[in-house]
Amino acid sequence: MSSRPELQAPPEIFYDDVEARKYTSSSRIAEIQTKLSERALELLALPDDGVPRLLLDIGCGSGLSGETITENGHQWIGFDISESMLNVALQNEVEGDLLLGDMGQGLGLRPGVIDGAISISAVQWLCNADKSSHEPRLRLKAFFGSLYRCLARGARAVLQVYPENLAQRELILSYAMRSGFAGGVVVDYPHSTKKRKEYLVLTCGPPSLSSVVPSGKGEDGESCSDDESSGDEENQTVCISDRHRPQKKQKVNKKGKGREWVLRKKDQMRRKGNVVPPDTKYTARKRKARF
């Protein structure tokens, strides 16, 4: 079994010119990418009113998922860190606008301009420290914070991921919740080793009827009921109520630190052998706002 791509090299290095062309020319990969993108758009639950929406494709690569967005009548912006992948997308004359950037440093888009976002097999790359300056938690925080800001109120983001383990899935989801998203994980074909797919379905804003997590698909292609998947601990949707715990109030001392406290601290510093200014009538006297 081949190693996971994110464990071999950083994405901008792994997807070089050769790998980018090989990835795009593979009919098998194109078919898988199309199915995942169609499912992501289905979970996005956009209004069926014939009005084109502006969508964000995070980790757009060579534009395979963007083509599915175009076929569904929407406009899109593609965001990717691999220049080679984006060059292939330009050669294929995709319909979307393309941005070169690192999602771990934030998306840099204007607040509230995006009607929905999808991502296919990209977000799990943030869990790897490819450079000495990379801290996965800080990169996840920057990504989800910027994603939340650029989405319109009530808009959804559907992120298809391949977490390496349960801890990695919980890490990704926890930072999404901390950024203000409501939602959880949808698992398609939970009992299949090959067909199993996981989607983070996130809604911008507090929990509401529109933020209810959809059901995953079963082996027959129909939606799985909650009862069928309740026995599988890994497939349960993570609760979002922890985000709304009341914050502890900090105790505020209105009197402040008086002269006695300052003199006591100075004595402690002298006993430790530190050089401390002598005590005078000006010690601990509050300065005036201006001379």
Side-chain angles (χ1 to χ4, degrees):
M1 183 176 179
S2 60
S3 178
R4 299 168 64 95
E6 60 267 25
L7 300 181
Q8 298 183 34
E12 65 272 26
I13 297 176
F14 181 83
Y15 289 109
D16 55 11
D17 293 341
V18 176
E19 189 66 28
R21 286 194 295 269
K22 185 171 75 172
Y23 184 94
T24 308
S25 61
S26 171
S27 58
R28 174 179 167 274
I29 290 178
E31 182 182 359
I32 294 174
Q33 194 85 358
T34 299
K35 290 182 179 179
L36 294 176
S37 302
E38 289 175 348
R39 177 58 171 156
L41 287 175
E42 179 185 345
L43 293 172
L44 210 55
L46 295 171
D48 188 13
D49 53 8
V51 177
R53 260 65 182 188
L54 178 60
L55 305 182
L56 179 64
D57 185 4
I58 305 162
C60 64
S62 58
L64 294 177
S65 51
E67 292 178 358
T68 304
I69 297 176
T70 301
E71 291 173 358
N72 281 266
H74 301 292
Q75 299 174 344
W76 58 281
I77 299 173
F79 193 95
D80 204 280
I81 195 174
S82 172
E83 187 174 0
S84 298
M85 280 290 208
L86 294 179
N87 286 336
V88 174
L90 288 173
Q91 293 171 9
N92 293 339
E93 299 181 348
V94 297
E95 296 291 334
D97 296 323
L98 304 176
L99 298 176
L100 176 65
D102 180 4
M103 61 179 172
Q105 295 181 356
L107 301 174
L109 298 174
R110 291 175 58 185
V113 299
I114 303 298
D115 298 315
I118 67 169
S119 177
I120 307 299
S121 313
V123 176
Q124 72 271 4
W125 288 82
L126 293 175
C127 296
N128 297 286
D130 298 319
K131 301 177 182 178
S132 59
S133 60
H134 283 183
E135 168 54 49
R137 288 173 173 80
L138 295 179
R139 289 169 61 77
L140 285 167
K141 180 181 178 181
F143 166 66
F144 282 113
S146 61
L147 177 60
Y148 186 90
R149 289 189 294 272
C150 75
L151 286 173
R153 195 71 166 175
R156 272 188 179 181
V158 178
L159 315 175
Q160 188 271 323
V161 293
Y162 288 112
E164 189 174 5
N165 46 48
L166 183 60
Q168 194 174 93
R169 181 219 278 180
E170 291 179 346
L171 176 66
I172 295 172
L173 187 60
S174 67
Y175 275 89
M177 298 295 110
R178 293 180 189 182
S179 298
F181 284 106
V185 179
V186 173
V187 181
D188 285 351
Y189 312 107
H191 306 296
S192 174
T193 304
K194 293 183 178 181
K195 297 178 66 176
R196 177 189 173 99
K197 296 292 183 293
E198 298 187 14
Y199 301 83
L200 269 67
V201 182
L202 309 173
T203 303
C204 181
S208 63
L209 291 177
S210 62
S211 62
V212 175
V213 179
S215 300
K217 289 185 177 181
E219 292 297 328
D220 54 357
E222 300 296 330
S223 297
C224 295
S225 65
D226 295 336
D227 296 336
E228 293 175 1
S229 58
S230 59
D232 189 352
E233 183 178 351
E234 291 188 359
N235 296 333
Q236 293 181 6
T237 301
V238 178
C239 181
I240 62 176
S241 59
D242 290 341
R243 291 195 297 110
H244 304 289
R245 289 177 293 183
Q247 296 181 351
K248 294 182 179 179
K249 294 183 178 179
Q250 296 181 350
K251 295 182 179 179
V252 179
N253 185 5
K254 295 183 179 179
K255 295 182 180 180
K257 298 172 182 177
R259 179 180 173 84
E260 294 182 0
W261 183 89
V262 174
L263 293 175
R264 187 167 62 252
K265 296 298 287 187
K266 292 177 73 173
D267 288 339
Q268 292 177 3
M269 298 295 286
R270 291 191 185 100
R271 287 195 294 270
K272 293 180 180 179
N274 296 325
V275 179
V276 181
D279 300 337
T280 67
K281 65 179 182 179
Y282 300 106
T283 300
R285 180 179 291 185
K286 186 177 180 180
R287 289 175 178 264
K288 293 182 179 180
R290 59 190 178 88
F291 293 104

